[in-house]
Amino acid sequence: MKTIRLGDEAPNFNAQTTEGDINFHEWLGDSWGILFSHPADYTPVCTTELGTVAKYKKEFDKRNTKVIALSVDGLESHKDWIKDINETQNTTVNFPIIADEDHKVSNLYDMIHPNADSKHTVRSVFVIAPDKTIKLTITYPASTGRNFDELLRVIDSLQLTAYQKVATPANWNDGEDCVIVPAVSNEEATKLFPKGFTELRPYLRMTPQPSKN
């Protein structure tokens, strides 16, 4: 089984989802994407996660980012579970959930970690750019729910740094100062960053956040 690394092309697949059959790459189109897996239907942490994503969908839409979940249970189970999610989380699930009973997608993305659980997926997260390359991977254990504010923060950083010659420092949030990448000379930085920059060290230069494109 191939390990998926940053910069790799996200494996393509065809799958049944709660919103119809999809070809993953075609479904992504020109959008960014988040593919995230859940150990099983009708599990408490997963229920809170999917409810949270539904509530955050407008934030993902603002960032041109599609979200799609996966569980190893079947389509009918997913559809019944969605009723529970909507009722207990006071929301409406508004994104597709992949039915992966044969573990085809789970195995393609190495989502089953046998030393943790031989049958169910761990909480994998993949952020995928419009060119279909993997930009971020995070793996959580089944017992720990994900922080979707952090995923929004990461997407803000990825989208900014994809178009500007900056990196984002520790605990950065959208709108805050950024780090100028070392490959940019001071002369070039003066042209690229008209708001100016502060040189703390030759390798550490801060500048107000530039626009994302």
Side-chain angles (χ1 to χ4, degrees):
M1 185 182 298
K2 184 180 183 293
T3 300
I4 295 178
R5 295 190 170 98
L6 301 184
D8 289 351
E9 181 177 277
N12 195 21
F13 56 84
N14 295 308
Q16 286 188 317
T17 83
T18 52
E19 295 188 358
D21 294 350
I22 66 160
N23 173 281
F24 185 51
H25 282 191
E26 289 179 3
W27 177 81
L28 280 172
D30 295 327
S31 299
W32 289 72
I34 295 179
L35 169 63
F36 61 114
S37 59
H38 298 268
D41 291 0
Y42 298 104
T43 51
V45 176
C46 300
T47 300
T48 65
E49 288 189 321
L50 292 175
T52 298
V53 171
K55 291 173 182 176
Y56 279 38
K57 181 132 186 322
K58 287 183 180 178
E59 291 300 320
F60 289 116
D61 289 345
K62 283 180 192 175
R63 293 161 172 83
N64 186 34
T65 299
K66 293 182 176 180
V67 292
I68 187 165
L70 174 147
S71 170
V72 295
D73 292 307
L75 206 56
E76 291 310 309
S77 174
H78 285 358
K79 289 179 178 178
D80 287 339
W81 181 32
I82 284 172
K83 297 173 187 176
D84 280 2
I85 297 167
N86 291 342
E87 184 175 337
T88 64
Q89 306 304 304
N90 299 310
T91 190
T92 300
V93 171
N94 45 18
F95 55 90
I97 305 173
I98 296 166
D100 194 38
E101 288 181 284
D102 61 4
H103 293 185
K104 181 180 73 174
V105 181
S106 303
N107 288 327
L108 198 59
Y109 279 81
D110 194 21
M111 292 171 168
I112 296 177
H113 295 194
N115 289 331
D117 191 311
S118 61
K119 295 181 180 179
H120 298 135
T121 53
V122 291
R123 296 187 194 283
S124 299
V125 182
F126 299 90
V127 174
I128 301 156
D131 65 0
K132 310 301 184 290
T133 57
I134 301 286
K135 294 300 183 186
L136 173 122
T137 65
I138 309 177
T139 303
Y140 295 77
S143 57
T144 303
R146 284 162 280 215
N147 184 325
F148 290 95
D149 287 318
E150 168 63 4
L151 287 178
L152 288 172
R153 190 189 78 87
V154 167
I155 290 168
D156 284 337
S157 173
L158 289 170
Q159 293 183 344
L160 173 65
T161 59
Y163 303 109
Q164 299 289 351
K165 294 182 178 180
V166 293
T168 56
N171 293 343
W172 174 89
N173 285 292
D174 190 33
E176 296 178 352
D177 288 358
C178 300
V179 174
I180 298 173
V181 298
V184 173
S185 68
N186 281 350
E187 182 180 4
E188 187 181 3
T190 301
K191 297 174 183 175
L192 288 175
F193 307 109
K195 296 176 184 177
F197 62 91
T198 302
E199 185 177 75
L200 302 175
R201 293 290 186 276
Y203 63 86
L204 179 57
R205 296 163 297 169
M206 306 298 296
T207 188
Q209 178 178 314
S211 62
K212 290 184 179 179
N213 47 43

